Amino acid sequence: MSSFAWFQDGVGYGAAELADWQDRVFVRGGMRHVFRTATEFLANSNQTARTVSIGAGSVFIGHPTGGGTWGWSSGETVAVPMPSNDNPRKDLVVAKLTTAASGGFNGLAIEVVKGVAAASPQVPQRPDNAAALLILDVPKATTTFTLTTVRTTGQYPDQAAFANGTTAIDWAGVLPSPAAFPVGFTLFDYGTNQTWTRAKSGDWFTTDPGPWQECRLVPVQAKSGVAVGVTGKLYVREDSTKWELSGQLSFSPATQMGQLVNPAMLPTFGVSRPTQNTYGATGQTYDAASGGVGRIALMTSGAIEFGGVDTVGNVYVNEQFSKSPWNT
């Protein structure tokens, strides 16, 4: 049998034990480098002076073989290297752990890793003991450059931030593979405002609806051959338990469709499709010539299907479609 206890009185410990303790205290799944908050090391550029000012910040730098070290910097202003006259270049701004032997001081340095100018330039490799902050796009033969923040936006999939104690990312609605995280791990997507839990099934699970996204409207044709325009707004969002549709569709001219039509399509990205056509009901214009209820469905193709018995002018949609093992 073997055992170990950390930081007991009268016992000596070294850097390796501290790094191991940090690894155990800050459970971060597949994330190696984690910023203290989502607003560490904020940046501003000065195009005239060709400099970038990086604000103060703290970051946990994970070691290649496990464990890690917290580092803090009060911030730094770094110079952007001059451009090539022949080709564009990409540079990388990093927060890098330093020691007295390697960098002249024990702490966290803000540095620019200069890339190689090329017709299709690549971002230079991030040092092992550093977290990436920004990518600098440096066009050829010009004094300007642009910044792209990469702290927690997915370009480096082993980087994240803490948000009120929860590991947080903003990967434009994309999530990391759940296989890299333990069951019960909580991940906050601060871009979509959703909290995800790694389920025992091996999937991410949330009951927080994602952001509303606008559906694409499509003209339709009645069974009689009449061409019918479709206007209005229709929005969709989803979580792990359901899809939601909300909005109004207006058909011009108002007509009796006589058949099922597809007046809208789900967004191309960001909303899943059911594996079985999934049906509901919705209200429509009601008067002497028009019926009150129509059928609406999410189709496996991404189409939104509608059918009504009588003349249809406006369709009012506020519908939930439950997810189940049958349709997901």
Side-chain angles (χ1 to χ4, degrees), residues 164-190:
N164 197 28
T166 300
T167 304
I169 60 170
D170 180 10
W171 291 9
V174 178
L175 296 175
S177 169
F181 298 83
V183 173
F185 188 92
T186 300
L187 181 70
F188 180 62
D189 185 333
Y190 63 88

Side-chain angles (χ1 to χ4, degrees), residues 139-153:
K140 67 177 182 179
T142 181
T143 59
T144 62
F145 58 92
T146 58
L147 313 180
T148 301
T149 300
V150 296
R151 295 188 306 273
T152 61
T153 50

Side-chain angles (χ1 to χ4, degrees), residues 109-132:
I110 309 299
E111 298 181 354
V112 177
V113 181
K114 185 179 178 181
V116 177
S120 299
Q122 303 299 309
V123 178
Q125 184 174 354
R126 181 191 67 188
D128 257 349
N129 60 342

Side-chain angles (χ1 to χ4, degrees), residues 4-9 11 13 16-22 24:
F4 192 83
W6 284 263
F7 308 122
Q8 297 188 93
D9 287 342
V11 180
Y13 298 90
E17 288 80 16
L18 178 58
D20 188 51
W21 176 78
Q22 298 270 29
R24 294 169 186 270

Side-chain angles (χ1 to χ4, degrees), residues 18 101 154 169 180 192 197 232 243 258 287 323-324:
L18 178 58
I169 60 170
T192 63
T197 301
W243 296 273
D287 57 30
K323 292 182 178 180
S324 73

Side-chain angles (χ1 to χ4, degrees), residues 45 61 103 106 145-146 162 199 204-205 209 235 256 269 319:
S45 66
I61 303 293
N106 294 318
F145 58 92
T146 58
F162 284 123
W204 290 111
F205 180 87
Y235 297 92
Q256 187 171 8
F269 302 104
E319 184 71 22

Side-chain angles (χ1 to χ4, degrees), residues 14-92:
E17 288 80 16
L18 178 58
D20 188 51
W21 176 78
Q22 298 270 29
D23 199 32
R24 294 169 186 270
V25 171
F26 302 106
V27 179
R28 58 195 192 282
M31 300 302 178
R32 180 177 167 192
H33 307 316
V34 185
F35 297 89
R36 188 177 67 88
T37 69
T39 56
E40 306 292 297
F41 303 107
L42 298 181
N44 288 291
S45 66
N46 184 322
Q47 299 286 325
T48 303
R50 291 191 63 81
T51 60
V52 177
S53 296
I54 306 294
S58 297
V59 61
F60 179 82
I61 303 293
H63 296 172
T65 57
T69 303
W70 277 102
W72 171 83
S73 171
S74 61
E76 185 68 79
T77 296
V78 295
V80 178
M82 295 301 292
S84 162
N85 287 325
D86 302 315
N87 286 301
R89 190 185 71 240
K90 291 181 182 290
D91 299 337
L92 181 65

